[in-house]
Amino acid sequence: PFSFSCKTPFSAGQRKAGVDKGPIHLVEAGLVDQLTEIGWKVKFDGHHQFEEVSAADDPQIGKLRNPRLVSRVTEAVAKAVGEHVQNGELPVTLGGDHSLAMGTISGTLSKYPDACVIWVDAHADINTPETTDSGNIHGMPVSFLLGLEGTKIPEFSWIKPLLTPDRLVYIGLRDIDDGEKKILKEHNIKAFSMHEVDKYGIGKVVELALDHVNAKRDRPIHLSFDVDAMDPTVAPSTGTPVRGGLTFREGHYICEAVQETGLLVAFDLVEVNPSLADAASVQATVAVGCSLVRAALGETLL
Ligand SMILES: N/C(=N\O)NCCC[NH3+]
Ligand SMILES: [Mn+2]
Ligand SMILES: [Mn+2]
């Protein structure tokens, strides 16, 4: 089986320097060898370099920050991921900020239009250009993928809104803007917040999540994992940490259970920012990131 590792050093979807350095820390922690050791043939084409878009050339579109740069990079990611899924490989995209998922999920949908998306995150990332406060596009990828009102802007015309609300489910939510809560309700989007994780336990939550988007377990799964879904004591070095997150085991259980379905076709691990904490905290966050990738790609405890 092939896994493909796209190391995607990208940070223009948010404002904190350093998240573009996430991928290199994950690779330098030995992730490629670790995946080889669990039986994958890893094609690692180095760290993606993207066309530069100067701030001067980046048009002012409402509050959006770096819209042209984010659009160009995510379009390039969509193409790269699309090629790899076409080749029967399993793209593992290491971010970089979560705006990358506009590219990775578009890539997956180009081959698997019926794929379902499991979005593991403290945040819903479903603001639109109209509801956003910050203009940071890493808080908006899901609204673009769904083609919500206000996301049909020429700069992002390459996005084919193939994702539908019934094929999206969240796990780990605990920091949702009012505008996002409204959107989630309006579109009946299923979300298992940390309240449900406490109430039902992670085993039941994953089962319910899969029942919702993949009742017959016959749909390909794209798992998009924002490392800030984990509790900040587990993964501290990330841009928008929120207390009360997933334990080390809960995060790994999600990856293990999705892997067990045999339906995983693409995996993202994003928002590791190695410039935000002391060396020990960075090392701990990178180690958890590598471990989550291994779990999603089949590493088992027994
Ligand atoms: N980590 C983030 N998304 O997952 N930050 C942006 C969202 C803040 N509302
Ligand atoms: Mn996110
Ligand atoms: Mn997040």
Side-chain angles (χ1 to χ4, degrees):
F2 272 89
S3 105
F4 176 78
S5 293
C6 341
K7 307 288 172 291
T8 316
F10 187 60
S11 62
Q14 49 85 60
R15 302 182 201 209
K16 294 182 179 173
V19 69
D20 57 320
K21 299 284 182 299
I24 198 155
H25 281 251
L26 290 159
V27 171
E28 286 182 352
L31 182 58
V32 175
D33 294 340
Q34 292 166 19
L35 294 180
T36 308
E37 276 152 34
I38 58 173
W40 290 89
K41 289 184 189 63
V42 182
K43 285 166 67 174
F44 168 38
D45 71 344
H47 297 276
H48 279 212
Q49 298 306 325
F50 298 103
E51 70 171 277
E52 296 293 312
V53 175
S54 71
D57 294 342
D58 218 316
Q60 183 66 39
I61 305 174
K63 290 184 185 170
L64 297 186
R65 294 178 56 80
N66 316 313
R68 178 155 301 166
L69 177 56
V70 173
S71 176
R72 295 287 165 80
V73 168
T74 50
E75 186 175 13
V77 168
K79 198 164 157 294
V81 168
E83 281 161 15
H84 293 294
V85 286
Q86 288 301 342
N87 296 345
E89 295 158 356
L90 193 161
V92 173
T93 301
L94 305 176
D97 73 62
H98 220 162
S99 62
L100 288 170
M102 280 191 282
T104 62
I105 294 171
S106 294
T108 298
L109 291 168
S110 70
K111 171 166 185 180
Y112 303 110
D114 64 331
C116 62
V117 174
I118 301 178
W119 195 281
V120 183
D121 202 326
H123 312 95
D125 296 352
I126 199 168
N127 273 301
T128 69
E130 280 138 24
T131 64
T132 180
D133 292 333
S134 64
N136 295 332
I137 299 177
H138 77 148
M140 305 181 212
V142 180
S143 72
F144 280 91
L145 289 164
L146 292 171
L148 298 189
E149 195 187 328
T151 62
K152 304 262 194 284
I153 40 186
E155 202 63 45
F156 289 88
S157 56
W158 61 271
I159 298 180
K160 310 273 167 290
L162 276 169
L163 184 62
T164 51
D166 61 301
R167 285 190 282 119
L168 167 67
V169 64
Y170 288 101
I171 300 176
L173 299 188
R174 57 189 185 275
D175 179 13
I176 311 302
D177 302 342
D178 290 345
E180 291 179 303
K181 287 179 178 172
K182 197 158 158 282
I183 291 168
L184 292 175
K185 280 194 188 66
E186 261 166 26
H187 296 276
N188 282 318
I189 294 171
K190 192 77 176 166
F192 294 95
S193 72
M194 289 309 297
H195 178 82
E196 282 71 41
V197 172
D198 293 340
K199 182 175 178 179
Y200 301 118
I202 196 65
K204 189 70 184 162
V205 161
V206 176
E207 185 192 335
L208 292 169
L210 286 170
D211 288 349
H212 183 77
V213 292
N214 211 334
K216 299 200 207 71
R217 302 296 190 272
D218 59 353
R219 276 180 174 161
I221 299 173
H222 183 120
L223 178 56
S224 198
F225 202 117
D226 184 326
V227 81
D228 70 29
M230 306 300 282
D231 188 83
T233 58
V234 175
S237 206
T238 187
T240 38
V242 185
R243 290 179 299 176
L246 297 170
T247 63
F248 181 93
R249 276 302 315 154
E250 287 167 339
H252 282 76
Y253 180 81
I254 295 168
C255 296
E256 290 158 6
V258 168
Q259 205 289 324
E260 266 174 345
T261 65
L263 296 165
L264 183 70
V265 293
F267 181 69
D268 310 327
L269 194 274
V270 297
E271 301 280 358
V272 172
N273 184 335
S275 69
L276 292 179
D278 59 275
S281 301
V282 170
Q283 197 278 330
T285 307
V286 169
V288 168
C290 288
S291 182
L292 288 166
V293 176
R294 294 198 307 270
L297 267 67
E299 184 178 69
T300 53
L301 299 184
L302 291 178

